[in-house]
Structure formats: C-alpha cells, structure tokens
Amino acid sequence: MSRKIPEEQYRKTFSYKFTQWLNGMEEVPAHETDCMEQDTAQEKEEVRELLRRREKMNLSKRVYDLEHNKEILIFKKIYFVFSILFCVFLVAMLLTAVSALPEFGNADNPVNNEVAARYIENGLQETGAVNIVTGMILDYRAFDTLGESHVLFIATCTVLILLRNGKKEEEINDRTHEPKNDVILQTVARILVPPIFIFGIYVILAGHLGPGGGFSGGAVIGAGLILHLNAFGFVKTEKFFTAKTYRRISFCALACYSIAKSYSFYTGANHIESVIPLGTPGAILSSGLILLLNICVGTVVAGTMYTFYVMFRKGDY
C-alpha cells in the first residue's frame, strides 16, 4: 500500500526529476527563485522612487512657477531697468572724470605727481622712517596694506576650502613623492633653516631703516618653513607649526594691525598731530607704529606662503 509523501520531499525524488525531464521542463532552483523575488522587489522599489521624484517635481513646478509667477516677472523687469540706468550712470561718471583731466602735452601740466613729491620731501619728517617706501606703504597707505593682508588671509581660507581633502587617516610616511630621509637635504636644511629664519626676522625688524619690510621678510621665513618641511616632513614640522597655529597667528596679527592703525581716524586722518612718537630716525625703535605693523604683515605673509604650499602638496596639515 502506497503512502502520500510531502511535496517538498517528492520534488527531491528521482521520479519527479525524470518526469520533468521527459516533459521538457526544468525545475527552477530555489536560490534562483529567491533572486527573482529580490529583483522584482527591487524593480518595484525603483518604480516607487521614480514616482516619488515625479510627484516632487510636479509639486515644485506648481509651487515655484517661474514662468508665470507675477512677482518674479516684475522683479526681472525692474532688474533690467536698473541695470541699464546703472550702466548709463557709470559711463557718464567716467566720461565726466576723463573730461576734467588736463590736456595731453599742455605746458602747464605738473611735471611730477604731487603725491610722489610729498612722499619724497616730507616722508622722513612725517613718518620717521628712513626707508621712504616703507613709510609710504605702512603710514600713508597703511589701510591699503591692511586690505592686502586681509586679501592674503581670505585667499588662504579659499584654498583651504577648495583643496582640503578632509581625510584624517594616519600616515606612517607622508613624504610619498620626495626623497625619504635624504641625508644631503636634511644636512643642508639643518645648516640653512636657522639663518634663513634669523635673516627673515632681520628684514622685518629693519624694514623702516633700509630695504625690506613685512612682505619680503615674511616671504623669507615662509621659504624657511617650506625647506624644513621638505627635509623633515610633516611629523617634525607640525611640532611647532600647525593649521591651528596659523589661524591664531593670522587672527592676532590682523586684529593688532587694525587696532593699532585705527588711531589715524582721530588724529592723522583728520590733519591733527599724531600722538604716536616717531623716535629718532635711523634707530630700531622709531617711525611710530611702522615696526609693529611690519611684524604683523610679516607673520601673515609667512603663514600664508607655508599654507599654500602645504595645501597644494598634501591637501591638509
């Protein structure tokens, strides 16, 4: 007497498989069935996602109808009219300024510019700086130099935003593309880096006495930092100069510059005698605040040069 067996057990028997083969039918394996079910579910999910996106786009078109929105159309017309008026005003202002210029080749035209003559004739008396160029940059045009220092700082921030990779992976050796433990380079760096730093400091401190100043001295110190980095790598260099160090130095230098020079709004800028003593021309402590401003500019320039190099080389400190 035969007995009925479960269907799952029957599918495993030879008779069932032989019958399927005779009928030209092949049984689909269980894992393939599962894959088909997964593919079907994935397709359904993709269709749902597509429908959600279409619904969102339709809702956005209904809410932000840029082509038929009255407020936007009015704004575009007003913007167009004001653009034309501004261009006409700018052209008229420039033509008026050009028409007021002296005629070319006129015998009564000044041979030398009045501003340049003022710098040369009264520069030493009014600024106390032996170096006329430094007196011009950090006294007569000190606010322009402050703007240039801020431009350097903003440029560094932009490079940090664009090139910083954001990876915090610990690197055993960060000098992938440079000679590793180059004895010649490291020996030369040990000899040259200290004199380079000392010379850069000298150029900054003596900028009001002779050729030099914050920009050139800061460039020298920045070159020394780059040489030290190439010779010894990030591990040793970051022991005394990191991104946090640069941010703090730049902020303090720019704030000190702004605060120190704000006095001219109430004294020199209003043709009132300055309360800042100029000292004896030729002495290290002379020329009013020019020495302090040189130090501020030099620190910003040095940090900016080093930061640019680091970001272009590695993408991070």
Side-chain angles (χ1 to χ4, degrees):
M1 182 177 179
S2 61
R3 60 185 181 86
K4 186 176 181 180
I5 61 176
E7 183 177 357
E8 294 180 359
Q9 185 177 356
Y10 173 68
R11 288 176 178 274
K12 298 179 181 180
T13 59
F14 173 77
S15 59
Y16 173 78
K17 295 179 180 179
F18 183 71
T19 304
Q20 292 291 103
W21 178 75
L22 288 176
N23 295 331
M25 300 172 61
E26 294 183 0
E27 183 182 7
V28 180
H31 65 88
E32 293 185 6
T33 306
D34 296 338
C35 293
M36 292 175 63
E37 293 177 355
Q38 292 178 0
D39 294 341
T40 305
Q42 186 177 1
E43 291 177 357
K44 290 181 179 178
E45 184 63 27
E46 291 178 356
V47 172
R48 293 195 194 98
E49 181 66 23
L50 181 60
L51 292 175
R52 282 196 294 267
R53 290 181 180 178
R54 288 181 178 178
E55 184 178 357
K56 187 176 180 180
M57 291 176 61
N58 293 333
L59 179 62
S60 177
K61 288 181 179 180
R62 290 195 300 270
V63 175
Y64 305 101
D65 189 1
L66 303 180
E67 296 180 358
H68 304 89
N69 193 316
K70 293 183 179 180
E71 295 180 358
I72 295 178
L73 293 175
I74 294 173
F75 173 78
K76 287 183 177 180
K77 292 179 180 180
I78 295 174
Y79 180 81
F80 180 74
V81 173
F82 271 93
S83 300
I84 295 177
L85 293 176
F86 176 77
C87 291
V88 172
F89 172 76
L90 181 62
V91 171
M93 184 175 63
L94 293 176
L95 290 176
T96 303
V98 171
S99 63
L101 292 175
E103 296 181 1
F104 181 77
N106 191 349
D108 296 331
N109 291 342
V111 179
N112 296 317
N113 188 281
E114 297 178 1
V115 178
R118 175 68 175 269
Y119 292 161
I120 297 172
E121 294 174 0
N122 302 328
L124 180 61
Q125 180 183 355
E126 294 179 350
T127 66
V130 178
N131 186 352
I132 299 177
V133 177
T134 302
M136 177 187 66
I137 294 175
L138 292 176
D139 193 282
Y140 293 114
R141 298 176 59 246
F143 284 104
D144 180 70
T145 305
L146 176 62
E148 294 173 0
S149 301
H150 278 83
V151 166
L152 288 176
F153 182 71
I154 294 171
T156 308
C157 295
T158 306
V159 172
L160 286 170
I161 294 171
L162 294 177
L163 298 183
R164 192 164 191 175
N165 53 29
K167 296 180 181 180
K168 297 298 181 182
E169 301 177 358
E170 295 183 0
E171 298 184 5
I172 299 176
N173 193 332
D174 56 340
R175 290 173 291 161
T176 305
H177 304 289
E178 285 119 4
K180 301 177 181 179
N181 298 324
D182 191 320
V183 178
I184 298 177
L185 179 60
Q186 292 180 353
T187 303
V188 172
R190 288 190 183 97
I191 298 173
L192 292 183
V193 168
I196 288 175
F197 286 163
I198 295 173
F199 179 68
I201 295 172
Y202 164 76
V203 171
I204 293 174
L205 298 181
H208 59 293
L209 305 177
F215 286 101
S216 53
V220 173
I221 296 176
L225 289 172
I226 294 173
L227 176 59
H228 186 278
L229 176 64
N230 285 327
F232 303 104
F234 281 86
V235 176
K236 291 186 177 181
T237 307
E238 288 182 354
K239 291 181 179 179
F240 63 92
F241 198 95
T242 61
K244 186 180 294 184
T245 306
Y246 168 70
R247 288 195 295 266
R248 291 177 178 176
I249 290 177
S250 297
F251 173 77
C252 293
L254 294 174
C256 179
Y257 192 118
S258 303
I259 295 172
K261 199 57 188 173
S262 62
Y263 82 93
S264 61
F265 279 115
Y266 309 101
T267 57
N270 295 322
H271 302 284
I272 302 175
E273 186 178 355
S274 175
V275 296
I276 307 297
L278 299 180
T280 304
I284 184 67
L285 297 177
S286 62
S287 68
L289 294 175
I290 289 181
L291 176 61
L292 176 63
L293 301 183
N294 258 331
I295 295 173
C296 295
V297 173
T299 53
V300 173
V301 172
T304 301
M305 281 190 57
Y306 176 77
T307 302
F308 278 170
Y309 179 81
V310 171
M311 296 307 300
F312 277 100
R313 170 184 164 182
K314 188 183 177 185
D316 200 356
Y317 274 99

